[in-house]
Amino acid sequence: PELSDEQIIMGQEMMRHSTTACLLSQPTLLPIIISIMIRSFVKFGISASSCDGFACFGLVLCGFFRDLNKGREMAKAVELIFAKRDWKLIKPRTVFICETFVLHWTAPLQASFVPLLEGYRMGLYTGDIDSAGWCLVTRCHHLFYSARALEGLQKEIDTCIDILSQLNLEAHRLCVLPYLMTVKRLRGVCTKDSCMDFEDMLKIASATNNLSNRGHAIFAQLELLVVFNEWESASKLLAEAGNLRLSIPGHFVGVRFTVLEALISFKMAQTSALFARTKWKRRGLKAFKLLRSWAKKGNVNVVHSLHLLYAELAVLKGEGKRVEESFKTAVMVAATSGLMQDKALAHDLAHEFYTAQGDKYWADYSYEKSQEAYSDWGANAKVDEKIVTS
C-alpha cells in the first residue's frame, strides 16, 4: 500500500538522504540504514523514497553479500514501482544507484551509457542537480572502463568536468579528475602545470574524509602503473590501498580493482623470493577466486580478465601450454568485446612471457600487436616508451 502518514514519509526521506553521505565517507553503515528503511516500507507502506530504498538494497546485496541475482531483482522491483507510480522527482537518483551499483554486475557496462545520460537530463529537469551530477560521473567511469579511444574519452571527461564545475558539484568533480589525469598521461599530453597530482587528490580526500574520492585516485594510479608494467610501484600502492572494495561497495571500480589486485599479485609472486612469493600468490588467488565466483553468477564484464589471469597463474605454475592458450583466449575475448585497453595489455604481457622463454618469433609478434592495440587506443605515451626500450 502507498504510505500517507507525513511524519513517517519525512523519516524515510531523512534516511534516504543519509545514504549519500554513507556512500562517500562511511559505507559500512549503509547496510544498517538500508535495513531500517526496508523494515519501514514493509511495516507502513511505500512512498517515493521506497524506489531509492529498494535500489540501495540491491547495492547492499551485490556489494556486500555478492548476491547478484537478488540485487538485480531489486532493480526490477524499482522499475515495476515506477511503472505504476508517477514519482519523477526520485527517478534520477534511482537511475544513478541502479546503474552505478547494481546492474553492471550482470549486464555489459555499455548498456549503462544511455540510461545514465537520461538520468542526467531528468535530474536537470526535476531540479535534482546532485543526482544529475552523479549520473554524469558514473557515465565517465564506465566510458573509461569500456576502453573508449582516449582522444574522444578525454573530450567527454573534459565536458563532464566543465558541467560539474558550472553546477558547483566539487565532490562529483573530484571523482572524475583522476581519470582525466590518467587519460592525459596515457596520451602523453599531461604536464605538471596542466595536471593536478595524484598526491594532491589524496590529500583532499583525506582532508574531507571522502573514501570514494580516495578510492578513485588510488585506482587510477594502479591502472597507469599496470599499463606501464611498473609492478614494484604497483605492489607498494596496492599494499597501502587496503581493500578498495569496501571503500566503494558495489561500484565497478571494486571489480576492476580486484582484477588489478590479482594481476599485480601474480606478477610479484613470479619474481619474489620464497616467503614473499607465498604471500603474493595467496593474495592473488583470493582475488582470482572472487572474480571467478562473480563470473559464474553472470558477471560478463570480467570474463576476458579471467583468461588473462589464468595465463599469469599458469606462468607462475610453469604450465607453458596453458599460458599460450589463455593469452590467445584473453586477446580474442577482449577484441570481441571491443576492449582495446585489455587487448593491448594481453599482448603486452604475452610479449613479456615469450621474451623470457627466448621465443623470438612470438615475442616479436606479441610486441607488434601490443603496439598496434595501444596505438588504436590512443596510448601514445605507452607506444613511445616501448619504442625507446625495444
Side-chain angles (χ1 to χ4, degrees):
E2 188 169 342
L3 182 60
S4 57
D5 190 313
E6 291 187 3
Q7 285 189 328
I8 298 175
I9 291 174
M10 189 180 297
Q12 292 178 353
E13 278 289 306
M14 291 173 65
M15 286 189 285
R16 180 176 74 81
H17 286 294
S18 68
T19 57
T20 300
C22 284
L23 279 171
L24 294 176
S25 60
Q26 196 59 263
T28 52
L29 284 177
L30 196 62
I32 298 172
I33 294 174
I34 297 304
S35 64
I36 295 172
M37 288 181 72
I38 296 299
R39 282 186 192 176
S40 174
F41 302 148
V42 172
K43 185 175 181 179
F44 301 109
I46 63 170
S47 63
S49 297
S50 303
C51 299
D52 189 75
F54 288 127
C56 286
F57 188 41
L59 182 165
V60 171
L61 288 169
C62 292
F64 289 92
F65 298 105
R66 311 302 180 197
D67 195 335
L68 312 189
N69 291 325
K70 287 186 178 177
R72 189 169 184 84
E73 286 177 12
M74 288 299 105
K76 288 181 178 178
V78 172
E79 289 180 13
L80 291 173
I81 293 174
F82 277 126
K84 296 182 178 180
R85 303 287 196 284
D86 189 26
W87 288 333
K88 292 180 180 178
L89 293 178
I90 195 67
K91 196 163 187 178
R93 178 175 165 81
T94 305
V95 169
F96 158 64
I97 296 293
C98 288
E99 296 295 341
T100 306
F101 302 104
V102 183
L103 296 177
H104 73 80
W105 288 98
T106 52
L109 279 184
Q110 293 86 339
S112 68
F113 296 162
V114 174
L116 285 167
L117 194 57
E118 185 61 27
Y120 162 71
R121 290 170 178 162
M122 285 190 293
L124 293 182
Y125 178 75
T126 60
D128 187 355
I129 304 301
D130 184 69
S131 297
W134 285 123
C135 285
L136 265 191
V137 170
T138 299
R139 188 171 185 273
C140 284
H141 292 165
H142 287 189
L143 286 169
F144 178 85
Y145 303 135
S146 300
R148 284 292 185 92
L150 293 178
E151 184 178 357
L153 179 59
Q154 183 179 331
K155 292 177 182 177
E156 289 260 10
I157 297 177
D158 275 329
T159 301
C160 173
I161 289 176
D162 287 343
I163 292 171
L164 295 175
S165 297
Q166 291 173 21
L167 296 175
N168 198 27
L169 297 172
E170 183 63 15
H172 303 59
R173 193 177 72 91
L174 289 173
C175 283
V176 181
L177 274 178
Y179 299 91
L180 178 61
M181 183 192 299
T182 301
V183 170
K184 285 185 174 182
R185 290 193 177 183
L186 286 168
R187 294 188 64 218
V189 298
C190 184
T191 64
K192 290 183 179 180
D193 295 331
S194 65
C195 290
M196 183 188 292
D197 193 81
F198 282 118
E199 289 185 9
D200 294 331
M201 294 181 186
L202 290 172
K203 287 178 182 177
I204 294 172
S206 177
T208 57
N209 193 32
N210 193 317
L211 296 180
S212 179
N213 286 349
R214 175 183 178 273
H216 288 295
I218 291 174
F219 169 74
Q221 281 182 273
L222 283 175
E223 281 281 5
L224 273 177
L225 293 171
V226 166
V227 168
F228 288 102
N229 306 134
E230 297 180 21
W231 304 111
E232 285 288 343
S233 298
S235 67
K236 291 177 182 177
L237 182 59
L238 188 64
E240 295 171 5
N243 188 352
L244 289 187
R245 287 182 293 275
L246 295 179
S247 300
I248 318 176
H251 199 291
F252 186 77
V253 73
V255 177
R256 184 67 180 179
F257 169 77
T258 308
V259 173
L260 300 185
E261 179 183 23
L263 179 58
I264 294 166
S265 298
F266 287 156
K267 296 298 289 187
M268 291 304 298
Q270 292 166 17
T271 57
S272 299
L274 183 61
F275 177 75
R277 175 188 175 93
T278 303
K279 181 192 75 172
W280 282 114
K281 183 179 179 180
R282 187 185 301 119
R283 181 167 185 175
L285 283 172
K286 184 177 179 181
F288 176 73
K289 289 176 181 176
L290 189 55
L291 287 164
R292 194 166 56 184
S293 71
W294 293 339
K296 288 180 179 178
K297 292 176 181 177
N299 192 325
V300 297
N301 296 305
V302 300
V303 175
H304 66 286
S305 298
L306 274 176
H307 290 295
L308 184 61
L309 294 173
Y310 271 120
E312 290 298 334
L313 182 58
V315 172
L316 184 57
K317 293 179 177 180
E319 300 172 350
K321 185 73 173 176
R322 179 70 178 274
V323 174
E324 295 179 19
E325 292 174 355
S326 297
F327 273 133
K328 288 176 182 176
T329 307
V331 168
M332 180 184 68
V333 177
T336 303
S337 304
L339 301 172
M340 294 179 283
Q341 172 185 359
D342 292 314
K343 176 186 173 183
L345 180 60
H347 279 304
D348 196 12
L349 296 179
H351 166 66
E352 283 188 6
F353 168 71
Y354 288 120
T355 300
Q357 295 295 307
D359 190 334
K360 189 175 185 305
Y361 174 81
W362 283 109
D364 290 346
Y365 173 81
S366 298
Y367 171 80
E368 290 174 7
K369 288 297 181 181
S370 69
Q371 286 287 83
E372 183 182 312
Y374 278 125
S375 181
D376 289 343
W377 186 34
N380 299 325
K382 174 66 176 179
V383 173
D384 293 342
E385 179 206 53
K386 288 179 75 65
I387 291 173
V388 171
T389 57
S390 62

mmCIF file of all heavy atoms in Angstrom, residues 344-366:
data_model
loop_
_atom_site.group_PDB
_atom_site.id
_atom_site.type_symbol
_atom_site.label_atom_id
_atom_site.label_comp_id
_atom_site.label_asym_id
_atom_site.label_seq_id
_atom_site.Cartn_x
_atom_site.Cartn_y
_atom_site.Cartn_z
ATOM 1 N N ALA A 344 45.341 -4.855 -25.649
ATOM 2 C CA ALA A 344 46.731 -4.398 -25.683
ATOM 3 C C ALA A 344 47.517 -4.961 -24.508
ATOM 4 O O ALA A 344 48.667 -5.408 -24.659
ATOM 5 C CB ALA A 344 46.774 -2.874 -25.668
ATOM 6 N N LEU A 345 46.905 -4.956 -23.325
ATOM 7 C CA LEU A 345 47.582 -5.465 -22.132
ATOM 8 C C LEU A 345 47.882 -6.953 -22.268
ATOM 9 O O LEU A 345 48.965 -7.418 -21.888
ATOM 10 C CB LEU A 345 46.711 -5.216 -20.896
ATOM 11 C CG LEU A 345 47.280 -5.685 -19.554
ATOM 12 C CD1 LEU A 345 48.608 -4.985 -19.255
ATOM 13 C CD2 LEU A 345 46.274 -5.442 -18.428
ATOM 14 N N ALA A 346 46.951 -7.720 -22.832
ATOM 15 C CA ALA A 346 47.167 -9.158 -23.018
ATOM 16 C C ALA A 346 48.344 -9.409 -23.960
ATOM 17 O O ALA A 346 49.198 -10.262 -23.697
ATOM 18 C CB ALA A 346 45.901 -9.810 -23.561
ATOM 19 N N HIS A 347 48.402 -8.667 -25.073
ATOM 20 C CA HIS A 347 49.536 -8.796 -25.999
ATOM 21 C C HIS A 347 50.844 -8.392 -25.316
ATOM 22 O O HIS A 347 51.888 -9.033 -25.518
ATOM 23 C CB HIS A 347 49.318 -7.918 -27.233
ATOM 24 C CG HIS A 347 48.427 -8.525 -28.271
ATOM 25 N ND1 HIS A 347 48.683 -9.760 -28.835
ATOM 26 C CD2 HIS A 347 47.300 -8.051 -28.867
ATOM 27 C CE1 HIS A 347 47.752 -10.029 -29.737
ATOM 28 N NE2 HIS A 347 46.895 -9.024 -29.775
ATOM 29 N N ASP A 348 50.776 -7.337 -24.504
ATOM 30 C CA ASP A 348 51.972 -6.833 -23.821
ATOM 31 C C ASP A 348 52.524 -7.877 -22.848
ATOM 32 O O ASP A 348 53.740 -8.141 -22.811
ATOM 33 C CB ASP A 348 51.608 -5.547 -23.077
ATOM 34 C CG ASP A 348 52.831 -4.740 -22.661
ATOM 35 O OD1 ASP A 348 53.939 -5.054 -23.137
ATOM 36 O OD2 ASP A 348 52.665 -3.786 -21.876
ATOM 37 N N LEU A 349 51.651 -8.482 -22.066
ATOM 38 C CA LEU A 349 52.085 -9.500 -21.104
ATOM 39 C C LEU A 349 52.538 -10.775 -21.808
ATOM 40 O O LEU A 349 53.457 -11.466 -21.338
ATOM 41 C CB LEU A 349 50.950 -9.798 -20.121
ATOM 42 C CG LEU A 349 50.539 -8.620 -19.223
ATOM 43 C CD1 LEU A 349 49.391 -9.017 -18.307
ATOM 44 C CD2 LEU A 349 51.723 -8.130 -18.393
ATOM 45 N N ALA A 350 51.920 -11.084 -22.954
ATOM 46 C CA ALA A 350 52.367 -12.233 -23.750
ATOM 47 C C ALA A 350 53.785 -11.979 -24.271
ATOM 48 O O ALA A 350 54.623 -12.886 -24.307
ATOM 49 C CB ALA A 350 51.411 -12.477 -24.906
ATOM 50 N N HIS A 351 54.054 -10.731 -24.657
ATOM 51 C CA HIS A 351 55.397 -10.352 -25.106
ATOM 52 C C HIS A 351 56.422 -10.605 -23.994
ATOM 53 O O HIS A 351 57.513 -11.146 -24.255
ATOM 54 C CB HIS A 351 55.402 -8.882 -25.521
ATOM 55 C CG HIS A 351 56.773 -8.292 -25.675
ATOM 56 N ND1 HIS A 351 57.658 -8.705 -26.652
ATOM 57 C CD2 HIS A 351 57.416 -7.332 -24.969
ATOM 58 C CE1 HIS A 351 58.783 -8.020 -26.542
ATOM 59 N NE2 HIS A 351 58.656 -7.186 -25.529
ATOM 60 N N GLU A 352 56.082 -10.225 -22.761
ATOM 61 C CA GLU A 352 56.975 -10.476 -21.626
ATOM 62 C C GLU A 352 57.240 -11.967 -21.455
ATOM 63 O O GLU A 352 58.383 -12.390 -21.239
ATOM 64 C CB GLU A 352 56.357 -9.917 -20.334
ATOM 65 C CG GLU A 352 56.446 -8.418 -20.170
ATOM 66 C CD GLU A 352 55.987 -7.977 -18.799
ATOM 67 O OE1 GLU A 352 55.703 -8.851 -17.941
ATOM 68 O OE2 GLU A 352 55.902 -6.764 -18.566
ATOM 69 N N PHE A 353 56.204 -12.767 -21.562
ATOM 70 C CA PHE A 353 56.335 -14.213 -21.372
ATOM 71 C C PHE A 353 57.219 -14.838 -22.449
ATOM 72 O O PHE A 353 58.164 -15.584 -22.138
ATOM 73 C CB PHE A 353 54.952 -14.872 -21.395
ATOM 74 C CG PHE A 353 54.996 -16.370 -21.493
ATOM 75 C CD1 PHE A 353 55.411 -17.148 -20.427
ATOM 76 C CD2 PHE A 353 54.641 -17.004 -22.684
ATOM 77 C CE1 PHE A 353 55.466 -18.537 -20.524
ATOM 78 C CE2 PHE A 353 54.683 -18.385 -22.797
ATOM 79 C CZ PHE A 353 55.096 -19.149 -21.716
ATOM 80 N N TYR A 354 56.942 -14.527 -23.708
ATOM 81 C CA TYR A 354 57.708 -15.139 -24.797
ATOM 82 C C TYR A 354 59.155 -14.663 -24.795
ATOM 83 O O TYR A 354 60.073 -15.416 -25.153
ATOM 84 C CB TYR A 354 57.047 -14.834 -26.141
ATOM 85 C CG TYR A 354 55.764 -15.592 -26.367
ATOM 86 C CD1 TYR A 354 54.553 -14.930 -26.564
ATOM 87 C CD2 TYR A 354 55.758 -16.997 -26.380
ATOM 88 C CE1 TYR A 354 53.374 -15.631 -26.771
ATOM 89 C CE2 TYR A 354 54.575 -17.707 -26.582
ATOM 90 C CZ TYR A 354 53.395 -17.015 -26.783
ATOM 91 O OH TYR A 354 52.223 -17.723 -26.988
ATOM 92 N N THR A 355 59.385 -13.414 -24.383
ATOM 93 C CA THR A 355 60.754 -12.903 -24.278
ATOM 94 C C THR A 355 61.523 -13.683 -23.221
ATOM 95 O O THR A 355 62.684 -14.069 -23.430
ATOM 96 C CB THR A 355 60.750 -11.403 -23.926
ATOM 97 O OG1 THR A 355 60.061 -10.682 -24.949
ATOM 98 C CG2 THR A 355 62.170 -10.873 -23.806
ATOM 99 N N ALA A 356 60.878 -13.921 -22.077
ATOM 100 C CA ALA A 356 61.517 -14.699 -21.009
ATOM 101 C C ALA A 356 61.791 -16.137 -21.447
ATOM 102 O O ALA A 356 62.772 -16.757 -21.011
ATOM 103 C CB ALA A 356 60.639 -14.683 -19.760
ATOM 104 N N GLN A 357 60.944 -16.669 -22.334
ATOM 105 C CA GLN A 357 61.111 -18.040 -22.829
ATOM 106 C C GLN A 357 62.140 -18.118 -23.954
ATOM 107 O O GLN A 357 62.536 -19.216 -24.357
ATOM 108 C CB GLN A 357 59.771 -18.574 -23.345
ATOM 109 C CG GLN A 357 58.701 -18.740 -22.285
ATOM 110 C CD GLN A 357 59.065 -19.803 -21.267
ATOM 111 O OE1 GLN A 357 59.381 -20.935 -21.620
ATOM 112 N NE2 GLN A 357 59.029 -19.429 -19.997
ATOM 113 N N GLY A 358 62.565 -16.963 -24.471
ATOM 114 C CA GLY A 358 63.519 -16.957 -25.572
ATOM 115 C C GLY A 358 62.894 -17.262 -26.913
ATOM 116 O O GLY A 358 63.601 -17.599 -27.883
ATOM 117 N N ASP A 359 61.560 -17.144 -27.002
ATOM 118 C CA ASP A 359 60.846 -17.410 -28.252
ATOM 119 C C ASP A 359 60.727 -16.087 -29.026
ATOM 120 O O ASP A 359 59.759 -15.340 -28.872
ATOM 121 C CB ASP A 359 59.461 -17.982 -27.936
ATOM 122 C CG ASP A 359 58.754 -18.516 -29.169
ATOM 123 O OD1 ASP A 359 59.057 -18.028 -30.274
ATOM 124 O OD2 ASP A 359 57.880 -19.395 -29.029
ATOM 125 N N LYS A 360 61.729 -15.809 -29.875
ATOM 126 C CA LYS A 360 61.812 -14.512 -30.545
ATOM 127 C C LYS A 360 60.634 -14.256 -31.491
ATOM 128 O O LYS A 360 60.111 -13.143 -31.574
ATOM 129 C CB LYS A 360 63.130 -14.402 -31.312
ATOM 130 C CG LYS A 360 63.393 -13.001 -31.866
ATOM 131 C CD LYS A 360 64.763 -12.909 -32.512
ATOM 132 C CE LYS A 360 65.063 -11.479 -32.944
ATOM 133 N NZ LYS A 360 64.053 -10.900 -33.833
ATOM 134 N N TYR A 361 60.212 -15.285 -32.212
ATOM 135 C CA TYR A 361 59.138 -15.095 -33.182
ATOM 136 C C TYR A 361 57.861 -14.605 -32.502
ATOM 137 O O TYR A 361 57.295 -13.575 -32.891
ATOM 138 C CB TYR A 361 58.861 -16.400 -33.938
ATOM 139 C CG TYR A 361 57.663 -16.305 -34.858
ATOM 140 C CD1 TYR A 361 57.778 -15.726 -36.117
ATOM 141 C CD2 TYR A 361 56.395 -16.749 -34.440
ATOM 142 C CE1 TYR A 361 56.671 -15.607 -36.959
ATOM 143 C CE2 TYR A 361 55.287 -16.630 -35.276
ATOM 144 C CZ TYR A 361 55.432 -16.064 -36.528
ATOM 145 O OH TYR A 361 54.337 -15.942 -37.342
ATOM 146 N N TRP A 362 57.404 -15.332 -31.481
ATOM 147 C CA TRP A 362 56.153 -14.962 -30.820
ATOM 148 C C TRP A 362 56.315 -13.713 -29.950
ATOM 149 O O TRP A 362 55.364 -12.957 -29.766
ATOM 150 C CB TRP A 362 55.623 -16.128 -29.983
ATOM 151 C CG TRP A 362 54.983 -17.178 -30.835
ATOM 152 C CD1 TRP A 362 55.457 -18.415 -31.111
ATOM 153 C CD2 TRP A 362 53.749 -17.041 -31.549
ATOM 154 N NE1 TRP A 362 54.615 -19.086 -31.958
ATOM 155 C CE2 TRP A 362 53.550 -18.267 -32.243
ATOM 156 C CE3 TRP A 362 52.808 -16.030 -31.693
ATOM 157 C CZ2 TRP A 362 52.443 -18.482 -33.053
ATOM 158 C CZ3 TRP A 362 51.703 -16.252 -32.494
ATOM 159 C CH2 TRP A 362 51.520 -17.454 -33.169
ATOM 160 N N ALA A 363 57.543 -13.485 -29.453
ATOM 161 C CA ALA A 363 57.795 -12.255 -28.691
ATOM 162 C C ALA A 363 57.659 -11.044 -29.602
ATOM 163 O O ALA A 363 57.009 -10.045 -29.247
ATOM 164 C CB ALA A 363 59.188 -12.304 -28.064
ATOM 165 N N ASP A 364 58.244 -11.120 -30.797
ATOM 166 C CA ASP A 364 58.143 -10.010 -31.761
ATOM 167 C C ASP A 364 56.700 -9.819 -32.225
ATOM 168 O O ASP A 364 56.228 -8.685 -32.375
ATOM 169 C CB ASP A 364 59.044 -10.284 -32.966
ATOM 170 C CG ASP A 364 60.524 -10.176 -32.626
ATOM 171 O OD1 ASP A 364 60.834 -9.628 -31.548
ATOM 172 O OD2 ASP A 364 61.351 -10.645 -33.424
ATOM 173 N N TYR A 365 56.013 -10.927 -32.464
ATOM 174 C CA TYR A 365 54.613 -10.855 -32.902
ATOM 175 C C TYR A 365 53.759 -10.172 -31.829
ATOM 176 O O TYR A 365 52.960 -9.263 -32.133
ATOM 177 C CB TYR A 365 54.076 -12.262 -33.176
ATOM 178 C CG TYR A 365 52.593 -12.304 -33.462
ATOM 179 C CD1 TYR A 365 52.096 -12.003 -34.727
ATOM 180 C CD2 TYR A 365 51.682 -12.635 -32.454
ATOM 181 C CE1 TYR A 365 50.723 -12.030 -34.987
ATOM 182 C CE2 TYR A 365 50.318 -12.665 -32.703
ATOM 183 C CZ TYR A 365 49.845 -12.358 -33.968
ATOM 184 O OH TYR A 365 48.497 -12.385 -34.202
ATOM 185 N N SER A 366 53.913 -10.590 -30.581
ATOM 186 C CA SER A 366 53.133 -10.014 -29.476
ATOM 187 C C SER A 366 53.470 -8.540 -29.279
ATOM 188 O O SER A 366 52.590 -7.717 -28.987
ATOM 189 C CB SER A 366 53.394 -10.787 -28.179
ATOM 190 O OG SER A 366 52.993 -12.125 -28.298
#
